[in-house]
Amino acid sequence: MWKNTESMASAIAEGLQNQGIKTKLISMSGNHRSDVAYELLDAGALFVGSPTINNNIFPTIADVLTYLKGLKPQNLVGAAFGSYGWSGESVSQVEDLLREMNVRLVAEGIKARNAPGAETLNACISLGAEVKKIWDETLR
């Protein structure tokens, strides 16, 4: 809508790419939930962003997460993030769904009220280093 959550997603992707981790951003405005499921087959991480709308997850994000939960993906790390105007519930709701999917959360969800500032975007970029650290520890 306002592209605030999208800018956070881009910063997370940048942080992952800075660590040499291949990324793929998938906007639900132009993709089907099956596209996400297909990409998740070979993925090691799942970062989900959602703005808050009417105190809830954005409908297309709720749809894809419900679909993915039923597919029971394995061995994923990830985190939630999102923007909000008034209340900001979507990030904790996404975290709950990721936990139900057994996604290992690498960091506390990142929220931005309205447009994310430099501090928030830097936190998004830092997620890449967290993922790399966890992967390095797991591979030892």
Side-chain angles (χ1 to χ4, degrees):
M1 202 180 332
W2 299 103
K3 307 228 184 257
N4 296 329
T5 302
E6 182 179 330
S7 67
M8 295 171 76
S10 295
I12 291 169
E14 178 184 337
L16 292 166
Q17 291 164 355
N18 288 346
Q19 296 297 318
I21 299 169
K22 183 180 170 188
T23 64
K24 180 145 191 177
L25 291 173
I26 303 174
S27 170
M28 293 316 300
S29 66
N31 289 284
H32 190 268
R33 63 181 169 256
S34 298
D35 299 327
V36 178
Y38 175 78
E39 293 297 334
L40 209 53
L41 291 173
D42 293 326
L46 174 63
F47 293 88
V48 180
S50 175
T52 298
I53 183 167
N54 296 328
N55 303 327
N56 285 294
I57 300 171
F58 202 73
T60 55
I61 301 303
D63 173 70
V64 72
L65 287 175
T66 300
Y67 182 69
L68 293 175
K69 183 179 162 188
L71 297 175
K72 300 179 183 354
Q74 301 291 308
N75 304 317
L76 293 173
V77 299
F81 62 96
S83 60
Y84 64 98
W86 316 128
S87 57
E89 292 92 349
S90 68
V91 172
S92 62
Q93 292 171 0
V94 169
E95 286 179 321
D96 289 344
L97 286 165
L98 290 174
R99 282 187 198 97
E100 289 175 24
M101 293 167 54
N102 295 316
V103 173
R104 180 179 171 191
L105 299 179
V106 297
E108 188 175 319
I110 301 174
K111 294 181 184 181
R113 182 154 191 197
N114 300 314
E119 185 176 324
T120 300
L121 293 174
N122 285 333
C124 290
I125 292 169
S126 295
L127 276 177
E130 284 300 312
V131 171
K132 180 75 166 127
K133 185 172 121 183
I134 287 169
W135 281 351
D136 289 347
E137 289 171 0
T138 303
L139 295 175
R140 285 185 201 168

